[in-house]
Amino acid sequence: MHINDAVFLEDLCPKFRFRKWRKSIHRFTGKSCIYCGKPSESIDHVLPRSQGGLSTTENCVPACLSCNGDKSDENALYWYRRQKFYDPRRAMAIKAWLEGDLRLAIRLLQWANPNFKVSNKNYEKDDSEYKAA
Ligand SMILES: [Zn+2]
């Protein structure tokens, strides 16, 4: 697909934009669950949609299905503190993520997981773009 076609498609089709946004969220953490570090298979709303949580980058984190399902409608930080895989660096990363500081969040995740690799080097540039989504 040509780059210009992609931009055009995105304008035409919000679903396409949404898929791209989801992908970018997984890229921020190198496709790993923000809570436990396993492969992220889903997007978790930190503040659940049932409690008014929005589908913004700040409120959506990559999560594996097990964390996402287990957390359910709970407050993410309270839930996370009770988990066996609790890591204070990850908790700080989640907080930073919620505050929209993806740069700090990613640095903390890297610290928590030395194998973690960021494939998307443009996250700073992309950040403002996705906030509007
Ligand atoms: Zn997980």
Side-chain angles (χ1 to χ4, degrees), residues 36-50:
C36 71
K38 285 185 191 147
S40 58
E41 298 138 324
S42 61
I43 301 256
D44 180 46
H45 283 73
V46 179
L47 179 65
R49 269 174 294 192
S50 61

Side-chain angles (χ1 to χ4, degrees), residues 32-41 62-68 79-80 85:
S32 69
C33 173
I34 198 165
Y35 303 115
C36 71
K38 285 185 191 147
S40 58
E41 298 138 324
C64 68
L65 288 176
S66 128
C67 286
N68 200 342
W79 168 85
Y80 182 55
F85 47 79

Side-chain angles (χ1 to χ4, degrees), residues 8-130:
F8 184 59
L9 254 179
E10 223 176 88
D11 290 339
L12 267 183
C13 175
K15 263 190 191 161
F16 185 80
R17 176 184 276 267
F18 183 65
R19 267 206 301 269
K20 233 177 113 183
W21 170 75
R22 284 182 76 107
K23 255 193 194 163
S24 79
I25 287 203
H26 287 289
R27 266 206 307 260
F28 288 142
T29 63
K31 291 187 183 134
S32 69
C33 173
I34 198 165
Y35 303 115
C36 71
K38 285 185 191 147
S40 58
E41 298 138 324
S42 61
I43 301 256
D44 180 46
H45 283 73
V46 179
L47 179 65
R49 269 174 294 192
S50 61
Q51 292 169 31
L54 300 173
S55 293
T56 56
T57 302
E58 289 91 336
N59 192 43
C60 293
V61 294
C64 68
L65 288 176
S66 128
C67 286
N68 200 342
D70 191 48
K71 184 194 144 258
S72 186
D73 273 5
E74 259 195 88
N75 176 301
L77 288 166
Y78 289 135
W79 168 85
Y80 182 55
R81 214 169 292 163
R82 294 199 314 270
Q83 304 310 305
K84 273 187 222 136
F85 47 79
Y86 175 80
D87 182 322
R89 292 168 297 191
R90 284 186 181 277
M92 280 163 71
I94 296 164
K95 265 192 203 149
W97 188 294
L98 295 182
E99 283 159 13
D101 195 344
L102 292 190
R103 203 179 156 179
L104 176 62
I106 288 164
R107 206 174 304 153
L108 288 162
L109 289 171
Q110 278 171 329
W111 185 25
N113 177 13
N115 299 322
F116 170 77
K117 283 188 195 85
V118 179
S119 54
N120 181 12
K121 294 234 162 64
N122 297 321
Y123 61 84
E124 282 175 67
K125 195 192 84 196
D126 291 349
D127 188 24
S128 54
E129 202 180 302
Y130 292 116

